[in-house]
Amino acid sequence: MGGMTGRGEALGLAVLLATAAPAPAFSGAPAVRAAYFYEYMGNDHLDLLRGAGFNRALVHAIGDSLPLDGGARLRSLKAHGDSIGVEVVPQWALEADSRLSALPGLRRYTWGDGNHEIDVACPLDSLFWRSALLDRAEEVLAAVPVKRMAVDLELHSATRTHYDAGPCRCRWCLTEYAGPSGLSYMGSGARRLKGLLSFEESRVFHILRGLLEEFHERHPDVEIGVFDLDLDSFVHRALARALARSGVPAADYCERSYSEGGSVLPGARGRLAGLGLPDAPLIGGVWLKRFAPHELPEALRSIASSADGYFVFTTYSLWIDPSQLEGPYILQGSPDDYWRALREVNATP
C-alpha cells in the first residue's frame, strides 16, 4: 500500500501547535505508540506525531533499495526523530521486483495445481532471502544507524496475500524433495506429496537461521520486527523460529487487531510463545479506516491491555487532503477528529 505519492493540503496549524509548545508527557500511555507512514512525508509529520503523543515511527520505504540520495531522507527523519523523542524504524516489503528479477533463473512460488506466481520468489530461494532481507537490512544500517527495523512478508503482486496456499511446488522444490522423480508430481499429482510442507518449512528455517546468525554477529543489538510474525503460514513459522534460534531480537507488528481491537491478541501471544518467542514485543495494529474517531480510543486501549503497545495504519490518511483519499486510506471522519482521538488515548492510561 506504499505506492501513493503527492501531498495534499498541509496541516499548517497542527504543525505550529506541535512545534510551538513543549511535547506533553503521556505517562499512562502504552509502551509503544507507533505510526506507520511513508518516507516522503517529511520531518513535519514527525512533529505532528510527537504532539499527539507518539514515540515511534514506522517509516515505509517504497523502493526495493535506498534511493539515489543514499538514504538522505531517512537520515534526516532519523536525526529529527532523535531530537524530539520519536524513534524512527525503517520498514520495507520483502517482495521486491527488481531484486527478484536480478537473480538467475525463474524460481517462483508455485502452489496448488500449478498456480505460478511469476512475481513472487520461491520461499526456498536462498539467494532471494539474502538479497531482500539480509542485504536490504545491511543497506539500511550502512545509511543510518538504527536499533530497530521491520519487514513485511505480505504479497502485493500475487493472487495470494501471503505464502499461505501451502508448500511451493515449483520444479526446483519438487526436485529437492523427491529427486528427479519429483517432477512427475507437478500439477494435480502434487497432492500426493504429504511431507512436502514440513520439508519446506524446515528448509526455510535453516536458510533463515544461517542468514540471521550472520546478521546477529555483525549487529547483535539490532531488532528485526516482522509484520504478522504470528501468522499461521509455513514461511512465517520458519522465520519466527529462525529469529528465536539465531538470537536476533524480534518483534511482532500484528495486524490481527486491525479491525477487531485487542480481543484477538492473546492468541497471537500464544503463537509467538509456541514458536520460541515468548518475550518478543507484541505490537497490535489498528486500521484507521475501520474505526470512526469516537471508536478509536476504546480500540487502542483494548490493544494496549493485551500487547506491548500499538501501531496505527496509517497516518498518511491524516496527512493528505481528505478529498484525495481512496481505498484503504479513506476515513470515517475528519483528520482533526482523529488527531483529537489519538491525543486522548495517548494522554490517559
Side-chain angles (χ1 to χ4, degrees):
M1 296 181 181
M4 299 188 70
T5 59
R7 182 170 183 172
E9 294 180 357
L11 296 174
L13 178 59
V15 172
L16 289 175
L17 291 174
T19 56
F26 297 96
S27 58
V32 176
R33 303 180 296 277
Y36 178 109
F37 65 95
Y38 305 114
E39 61 182 343
Y40 55 76
M41 289 168 55
N43 293 347
D44 287 354
H45 194 65
L46 290 176
D47 293 323
L48 287 170
L49 295 174
R50 184 64 188 99
F54 286 89
N55 58 18
R56 185 175 296 184
L58 298 170
V59 180
H60 177 70
I62 294 172
D64 295 343
S65 296
L66 290 177
L68 295 177
D69 63 16
R73 185 177 295 167
L74 182 59
R75 283 193 294 274
S76 178
L77 284 167
K78 169 70 164 56
H80 190 65
D82 288 348
S83 72
I84 62 172
V86 177
E87 181 180 12
V88 168
V89 178
Q91 184 269 355
W92 68 91
L94 182 77
E95 185 180 66
D97 292 345
S98 65
R99 289 177 178 270
L100 180 60
S101 62
L103 300 178
L106 291 173
R107 187 167 185 167
R108 301 292 186 268
Y109 184 39
T110 306
W111 53 273
D113 295 340
N115 298 285
H116 185 67
E117 302 287 359
I118 190 62
D119 295 318
V120 179
C122 165
L124 273 66
D125 188 345
S126 61
L127 293 178
F128 179 75
W129 282 108
R130 178 171 289 278
S131 176
L133 179 62
L134 189 66
D135 292 350
R136 187 73 193 275
E138 294 287 3
E139 179 187 60
V140 169
L141 289 171
V144 56
V146 293
K147 290 296 185 182
R148 292 183 178 87
M149 52 183 59
V151 62
D152 190 352
L153 274 57
E154 185 176 0
L155 305 176
H156 298 281
S157 302
T159 56
R160 310 291 303 193
T161 57
H162 289 95
Y163 289 106
D164 59 358
C168 182
R169 291 170 171 141
C170 72
R171 63 177 61 249
W172 292 271
C173 284
L174 295 181
T175 301
E176 280 189 42
Y177 179 68
S181 64
L183 296 183
S184 65
Y185 293 102
M186 296 185 73
S188 60
R191 289 193 181 92
R192 293 152 53 192
L193 296 174
K194 300 297 185 182
L196 184 60
L197 182 64
S198 58
F199 166 80
E200 292 194 1
E201 185 170 332
S202 177
R203 286 283 293 116
V204 176
F205 163 74
H206 286 290
I207 290 168
L208 291 174
R209 181 181 177 182
L211 294 175
L212 290 169
E213 285 175 346
E214 284 185 41
F215 180 83
H216 186 53
E217 184 175 353
R218 290 190 290 269
H219 313 286
D221 299 322
V222 175
E223 175 187 279
I224 296 181
V226 181
F227 277 63
D228 278 338
L229 184 58
D230 59 282
L231 188 73
D232 190 14
S233 155
F234 73 103
V235 172
H236 287 71
R237 292 193 299 267
L239 176 54
R241 292 190 176 106
L243 285 164
R245 295 293 294 275
S246 66
V248 173
D252 182 8
Y253 292 95
C254 181
E255 297 182 17
R256 289 193 193 205
S257 52
Y258 260 19
S259 303
E260 305 296 330
S263 62
V264 297
L265 291 176
R269 182 80 75 182
R271 283 195 57 77
L272 290 175
L275 293 166
L277 295 169
D279 300 321
L282 174 64
I283 304 156
V286 63
W287 188 358
L288 288 183
K289 177 178 180 175
R290 298 299 191 191
F291 297 93
H294 71 276
E295 298 170 327
L296 194 55
E298 180 180 355
L300 290 174
R301 289 185 183 115
S302 72
I303 291 171
S305 69
S306 300
D308 299 291
Y310 68 78
F311 73 96
V312 170
F313 178 89
T314 161
T315 53
Y316 169 86
S317 295
L318 308 179
W319 176 78
I320 197 170
D321 187 319
S323 67
Q324 298 183 37
L325 295 175
E326 57 185 26
Y329 303 103
I330 294 173
L331 299 176
Q332 299 184 40
S334 72
D336 286 344
D337 288 340
Y338 279 95
W339 282 120
R340 277 192 289 270
L342 291 168
R343 285 194 295 269
E344 173 189 335
V345 74
N346 285 340
T348 57

